[in-house]
């Protein structure tokens, strides 16, 4: 599930990763994570206070920061790259993949919603070639793009890229569809019965299908697959030979799979079923992402001098839409560092992996992080925040602490475990409970059982609750265990315990009432 860089969840008792990146989630969300893990500026390896913020950090300082972050959070593996101007300053892998292989600067990993910036650039290439206009209606170049709402005919190419098309999770459940969609063509076809939540161009809302339609547009206009277009027009000119884009979770190589976190420990799991090409399908490496960052900080020219877009095109990609509140551009978010320096960035979250890219235009620095953990407490955004802080201030932040998450996990699991003996006690005493209610109205007995229905009902509709917490985002039931692992486990145990007690009590009550009725009949006879 890709994250909304701007939307933040409503407060919940257990911290979870936001299921989507968007504008203000950029550096402000990173700074929130920084409060948990990257705020105080006091490590021994930190640069002196007089260090120039524009100077690239020493590789040894970066290595120390990353390793301390991994040790503090339990992050199993990460790939990191820092650039400055036209140079890749440091590209390195840390830790291991779920299979135990070392992560290197050449290990392909998922960049999730960071992919949106690749899709946006591919569209702008077509615009600069005169093959489409950003303010053209999408349907002019992609006739197959139809929706149930006639206003969809007015959606422009630009509105797909800055997410002001009016399309919304509230009108089209893109996540809970799982893997029913297998190609970009199908992802566009799926929208035929969907409506719009707003007039095109009037409201910003993060919605992954915007970029799936944009990627399909690239296919139709260029006359080749989206993957082939990216390879020929973007990746090969930049020398990004280990980067590609895929359709579904089934296409993820073993090294790009990830983990969830339970009690602070990484647990390898498969990514849940889903489709992501165009909106979240790019797989890349630290070395390759270095070339990508250089191109964006160098007016569209990569480290080798090859141009993938004009300076004006790069500027357009990074210029936010007024409709978004000035915080979401074309596949990029905008924000500021703690010192007030501008940041152009985008985050990405799968259920088992996270990524973050950030450009500091004033100083010419770039940062990209890919992590094989889906947890916000041990993911790429917190590490990227720490690296940006190191660049921005010249000093490294303190490593994060996972104490809050660890304690909450332990409490939740303990509560779940406590439900087991209580349920056993309730089952054993079900006969006494039933005999105490002989002669009482049925509705009174039913009312006393109603509290036992709450945990099973909450479990059944937990994805709806999580969607509400994330301000209306579409959340599938099978994704909830990834987002709230310990809470979900505890709730499953509690729901089963309540169901067992309630079921046995009902059986016992029916049996006791029948026995009482039969005894009364014999006595009267």
């Amino acid at each position: 599930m890709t994250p909304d860089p701007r939307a933040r969840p409503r407060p919940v008792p257990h911290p979870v990763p936001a299921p989507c990146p968007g504008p203000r989630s950029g550096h402000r969300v990173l700074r929130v994570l920084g409060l948990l893990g990257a705020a105080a500026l006091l490590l021994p390896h930190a640069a002196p206070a007089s260090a120039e913020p524009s100077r690239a950090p020493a590789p040894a300082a970066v290595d120390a920061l990353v390793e301390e972050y991994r040790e503090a959070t339990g992050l199993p593996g990460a790939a990191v790259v820092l650039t400055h101007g036209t140079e890749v300053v440091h590209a390195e892998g840390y830790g291991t993949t779920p299979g135990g292989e070392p992560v290197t600067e050449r290990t392909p990993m998922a960049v999730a919603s960071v992919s949106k910036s690749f899709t946006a650039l591919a569209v702008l290439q077509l615009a600069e070639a005169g093959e489409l206009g950003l303010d053209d209606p999408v349907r002019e170049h992609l006739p197959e793009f139809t929706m149930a709402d006639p206003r969809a005919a007015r959606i422009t190419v630009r509105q797909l890229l800055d997410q002001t098309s009016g399309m919304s999770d509230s009108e089209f459940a893109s996540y809970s569809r799982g893997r029913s969609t297998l190609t970009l063509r199908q992802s566009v076809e799926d929208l035929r019965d969907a409506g719009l939540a707003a007039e095109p161009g009037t409201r910003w809302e993060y919605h992954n299908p915007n970029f799936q339609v944009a990627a399909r547009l690239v296919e139709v206009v260029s006359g080749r697959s989206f993957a082939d277009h990216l390879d020929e027009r973007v990746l090969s000119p930049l020398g990004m030979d280990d980067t590609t884009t895929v359709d579904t979770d089934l296409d993820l190589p073993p090294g790009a799979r990830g983990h969830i976190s339970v009690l602070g420990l990484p647990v390898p799991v498969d990514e849940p079923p889903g489709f992501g090409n165009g909106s979240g399908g790019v797989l890349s490496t630290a070395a390759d992402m270095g070339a990508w960052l250089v191109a964006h900080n160098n007016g569209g020219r990569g480290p080798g001098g090859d141009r993938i877009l004009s300076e004006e095109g790069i500027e357009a990609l990074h210029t936010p839409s007024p409709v978004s509140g000035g915080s979401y551009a074309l596949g990029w978010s905008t924000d500021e560092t703690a010192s007030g320096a501008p940041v152009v960035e985008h985050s990405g979250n799968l259920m088992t992996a996270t990524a973050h890219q950030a450009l500091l235009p004033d100083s010419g620095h770039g940062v990209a992080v890919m992590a094989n953990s889906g947890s916000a407490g041990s993911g790429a955004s917190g590490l990227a925040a720490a690296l940006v802080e190191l660049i921005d201030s010249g000093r490294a932040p303190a490593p994060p602490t996972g104490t809050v998450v660890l304690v909450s996990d332990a409490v939740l699991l303990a509560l779940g475990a406590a439900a087991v003996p209580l349920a056993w006690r309730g089952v054993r005493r079900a006969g006494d409970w039933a005999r105490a209610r002989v002669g009482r109205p049925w509705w009174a007995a039913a009312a006393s059982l109603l509290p036992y229905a709450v945990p099973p009902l909450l479990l059944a509709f937990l994805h709806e609750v999580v969607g509400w917490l994330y301000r209306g985002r579409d959340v599938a039931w099978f994704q909830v265990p990834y987002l709230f692992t310990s809470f979900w486990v505890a709730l499953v145990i509690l729901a089963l315990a309540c169901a067992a007690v309630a079921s046995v009590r009902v059986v016992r009550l029916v049996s006791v009432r029948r026995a009482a009725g039969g005894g009364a009949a014999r006595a009267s006879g």
Side-chain angles (χ1 to χ4, degrees), residues 38-44 46-47 338 386 389-390 393-398:
L41 311 172
L42 294 172
L43 282 185
E389 182 66 28
L390 175 62
S393 70
R395 295 176 294 177

Side-chain angles (χ1 to χ4, degrees), residues 143-156:
E144 67 195 61
F145 173 57
T146 59
M147 300 181 70
D149 194 316
R151 295 177 295 176
R154 299 195 290 274
I155 295 174
T156 67

Side-chain angles (χ1 to χ4, degrees), residues 145-361:
F145 173 57
T146 59
M147 300 181 70
D149 194 316
R151 295 177 295 176
R154 299 195 290 274
I155 295 174
T156 67
V157 176
R158 186 188 304 276
Q159 289 163 357
L160 293 177
L161 303 182
D162 65 15
Q163 310 234 43
T164 62
S165 65
M167 293 195 290
S168 166
D169 279 15
S170 65
E171 300 297 322
F172 179 74
S174 59
Y175 281 127
S176 53
R177 300 174 71 84
R179 204 190 298 120
S180 60
T181 297
L182 298 176
T183 67
L184 286 168
R185 178 193 287 272
Q186 288 177 330
S187 72
V188 174
E189 291 175 351
D190 288 343
L191 294 166
R192 285 177 298 183
D193 297 325
L196 294 180
E199 176 71 24
T202 64
R203 188 171 87 187
W204 183 91
E205 186 165 350
Y206 197 89
H207 188 56
N208 283 306
N210 279 315
F211 280 82
Q212 293 165 14
V213 174
R216 177 58 181 162
L217 177 67
V218 171
E219 287 190 330
V220 171
V221 173
S222 69
R224 55 191 163 201
S225 72
F226 181 63
D228 286 347
H229 180 89
L230 272 188
D231 184 55
E232 183 176 329
R233 296 286 301 277
V234 180
L235 307 178
S236 291
L238 293 178
M240 299 176 68
D241 297 333
D242 296 318
T243 301
T244 187
T245 184
V246 299
D247 291 315
T248 73
D249 59 289
L250 295 175
D251 304 313
L252 293 173
R257 299 180 186 275
H259 307 75
I260 58 175
S261 179
V262 180
L263 291 173
L265 300 175
V267 180
V269 291
D270 288 337
E271 182 70 18
F275 178 84
N277 205 358
S279 60
V282 171
L283 305 175
S284 192
T285 68
D288 282 5
M289 287 300 292
W292 172 252
L293 295 174
V294 166
H296 280 272
N297 263 335
N298 191 34
R301 291 190 184 274
D306 289 341
R307 179 175 292 283
I308 57 171
L309 200 66
S310 70
E311 291 187 19
E312 294 77 13
I314 293 293
E315 183 178 357
L317 286 172
H318 300 167
T319 301
S321 161
V323 179
S324 71
S327 58
Y328 199 86
L330 305 182
W332 290 82
S333 306
T334 59
D335 211 331
E336 296 179 346
T337 67
S339 70
V343 178
V344 182
E345 61 192 346
H346 208 290
S347 55
N349 290 17
L350 299 182
M351 294 292 108
T352 64
T354 52
H356 200 98
Q357 62 179 1
L359 304 169
L360 285 76

Side-chain angles (χ1 to χ4, degrees), residues 21 28 49 96 114 132 223 225 234 264 272 315 322 328 338 368 426 440 443 460 482 495 502 517:
R28 289 179 186 167
T96 60
V114 170
L132 56 78
S225 72
V234 180
E315 183 178 357
Y328 199 86
R440 296 183 184 180
W443 63 264
Y482 291 82

Side-chain angles (χ1 to χ4, degrees), residues 114-132:
V114 170
S115 306
K116 291 177 172 64
S117 61
F118 286 82
T119 302
L121 187 139
V123 172
L124 261 71
Q125 285 179 329
L126 297 177
E128 291 194 343
E131 298 183 59
L132 56 78

Side-chain angles (χ1 to χ4, degrees), residues 38-73:
L41 311 172
L42 294 172
L43 282 185
H45 66 266
S50 60
E52 297 177 19
S54 63
R55 181 177 299 164
V62 175
D63 290 341
L65 187 154
V66 174
E67 291 299 353
E68 288 177 1
Y69 181 91
R70 290 186 56 241
E71 182 178 354
T73 63

Side-chain angles (χ1 to χ4, degrees), residues 9-12 462-473 475:
R10 295 178 174 89
V12 291
L462 187 56
H463 60 296
E464 300 286 354
V465 176
V466 174
W468 176 81
L469 290 171
Y470 285 106
R471 307 183 189 280
R473 293 305 309 274
V475 178

